[in-house]
Amino acid sequence: MTPCVFVLNGPNLNLLGTRQPHIYGSATLADVAAACAVTADTLGLGVRFHQSNHEAALIDWVHEARTAAQAIVINPAAYTHTSVALLDALNAFEGPVIEVHISNIHKRESFRHQSYVSLRADGIIAGLGTQGYTLALQRVAHLLAEAAR
Ligand code: DHK
């Protein structure tokens, strides 16, 4: 069975490519989804890519992942810094969780330095641009292969 990875994206990431490109770069979310699909394919992973501006939708996808996915890659965007509910949902998921931030949140405003999601994440990627997503998939493939051994 091909392991499935949910790649989840939080608020405002639908504007990627046009939103503050000096911080988030010029790639669109569709570009990121396409890169994830190619990388997942080469790694032997299936991928389901979602974005929502609504906290509840992200939580519902995390719940769905409990039975439908083996790992989660998540850029919670601003919910990183605010959402105990998203942390609680991720704590109910058993597989690897990799947290991705396009920008280096530690180089930015102090309110971005705290992440609730980091309390659950198995790994964190920040400041590597949209490349962080495909690097996260590589790490997921490694962790799943290790767990299967
Ligand atoms: C994206 C956002 O929208 C911000 O709210 C986070 C994150 C950082 C990113 O770098 O991908 O603070």
Side-chain angles (χ1 to χ4, degrees), residues 32-95:
V32 176
C36 284
V38 169
T39 300
D41 202 46
T42 61
L43 293 167
L45 300 172
V47 73
R48 272 180 52 191
F49 196 93
H50 294 294
Q51 186 275 332
S52 179
N53 296 325
H54 305 278
E55 189 176 17
L58 294 163
I59 291 166
D60 287 345
W61 284 319
V62 172
H63 290 180
E64 189 185 343
R66 282 161 49 85
T67 51
Q70 280 63 55
I72 295 174
V73 170
I74 184 165
N75 182 347
Y79 291 136
T80 306
H81 320 297
T82 63
S83 182
V84 175
L86 190 55
L87 169 64
D88 285 349
L90 289 164
N91 276 332
F93 176 77
E94 286 187 358

Side-chain angles (χ1 to χ4, degrees), residues 85-127:
L86 190 55
L87 169 64
D88 285 349
L90 289 164
N91 276 332
F93 176 77
E94 286 187 358
V97 173
I98 308 294
E99 176 183 349
V100 172
H101 302 288
I102 297 165
S103 64
N104 180 356
I105 54 175
H106 300 289
K107 209 176 160 183
R108 300 181 65 191
E109 303 96 322
S110 57
F111 67 84
R112 295 186 202 275
H113 299 176
Q114 164 170 334
S115 167
Y116 285 106
V117 170
S118 294
L119 293 168
R120 165 63 181 90
D122 297 293
I124 306 156
I125 294 174

